[in-house]
Amino acid sequence: MSLRLSAILSALFFVSSLGVASGKDLSTQDMIDRLKEPRKAPTRSISANDIGKSGDTPGFMTHETTRGLKIDERRQLDQYVSSYDRPVLNINIGFGLNSSTLTDSAQTVLRELAVALTSPDLSGSKFSLSGHTDASGTSESNQLLSERRALSVRNFLASHGVPPHRLIAAGYGEERPTQGLDPNDPKNRRVEIINLGTP
């Protein structure tokens, strides 16, 4: 194999490794490290403790919601997340085709995630759980399915010690496939966890 081809393959492997983690490849500490607030030198930028003080925090973040987000709330969440550099963890959560039932391996991963979310490093933060689907099926059915999947993850985490008021479930259907993947690839059936800070 040529040196150039080897370098290209190494770069592609590195870039692909930054995307969606299988979950089973991550330890609890890996999850904590990816989701905790980075330690930075003091600057004029906003910190997790400043979030919500300027009046820009969406209302649904300051109280417990037991349902998924409505479309306008989801837009507010997207705007909020894009305004700040928030820690994100993408993990492949196993669901069957057209199902929101967690597989056994998904439950194992989510037990580790529950431990991570209740750790001292993360215990003060609120988290967005964004459900995604592949493109098989209609847009409408995929939207509903992604909402059910996000709620399924939320309910599982709540039943394993994560206070429900710290978890916000949102479904995005097929509209956000993993970069570089075919929209029909089952790896698009994932949940994205975003540390929203301390509202």
Side-chain angles (χ1 to χ4, degrees), residues 117-127 165-166 195-199:
L117 297 181
T118 55
S119 73
D121 287 324
L122 301 176
S123 64
S125 296
K126 198 161 202 163
F127 294 88
H165 69 274
R166 294 180 48 221
N195 183 339
L196 300 174
T198 308

Side-chain angles (χ1 to χ4, degrees), residues 15-134:
V15 170
S16 69
S17 70
L18 297 176
V20 180
S22 71
K24 64 184 174 200
D25 300 331
L26 295 174
S27 69
T28 301
Q29 190 60 51
D30 291 334
M31 292 178 184
I32 292 169
D33 291 343
R34 290 187 185 194
L35 285 170
K36 72 181 176 185
E37 295 288 333
R39 295 206 182 271
K40 295 181 182 176
T43 65
R44 298 276 302 147
S45 65
I46 196 161
S47 72
N49 294 330
D50 294 328
I51 294 175
K53 292 181 181 174
S54 62
D56 62 351
T57 304
F60 60 83
M61 281 186 51
T62 58
H63 61 276
E64 182 175 349
T65 177
T66 57
R67 57 170 172 73
L69 297 183
K70 296 177 182 173
I71 292 175
D72 60 322
E73 292 172 327
R74 198 180 77 182
R75 285 188 196 117
Q76 290 174 0
L77 176 65
D78 291 344
Q79 183 177 8
Y80 179 81
V81 168
S82 67
S83 297
Y84 306 104
D85 186 20
R86 307 304 314 145
V88 176
L89 173 64
N90 271 300
I91 52 177
N92 238 343
I93 300 295
F95 297 101
L97 183 63
N98 295 323
S99 172
S100 61
T101 302
L102 295 164
T103 63
D104 290 341
S105 62
Q107 291 180 34
T108 300
V109 170
L110 290 175
R111 281 187 202 91
E112 291 295 316
L113 181 60
V115 171
L117 297 181
T118 55
S119 73
D121 287 324
L122 301 176
S123 64
S125 296
K126 198 161 202 163
F127 294 88
S128 165
L129 308 170
S130 303
H132 302 273
T133 67
D134 59 26

Side-chain angles (χ1 to χ4, degrees), residues 145-168:
L145 179 59
S146 69
E147 291 170 7
R148 288 196 318 269
R149 286 177 174 171
L151 285 170
S152 181
V153 169
R154 180 187 185 277
N155 294 339
F156 185 90
L157 292 171
S159 73
H160 285 79
V162 182
H165 69 274
R166 294 180 48 221
L167 303 170
I168 298 172

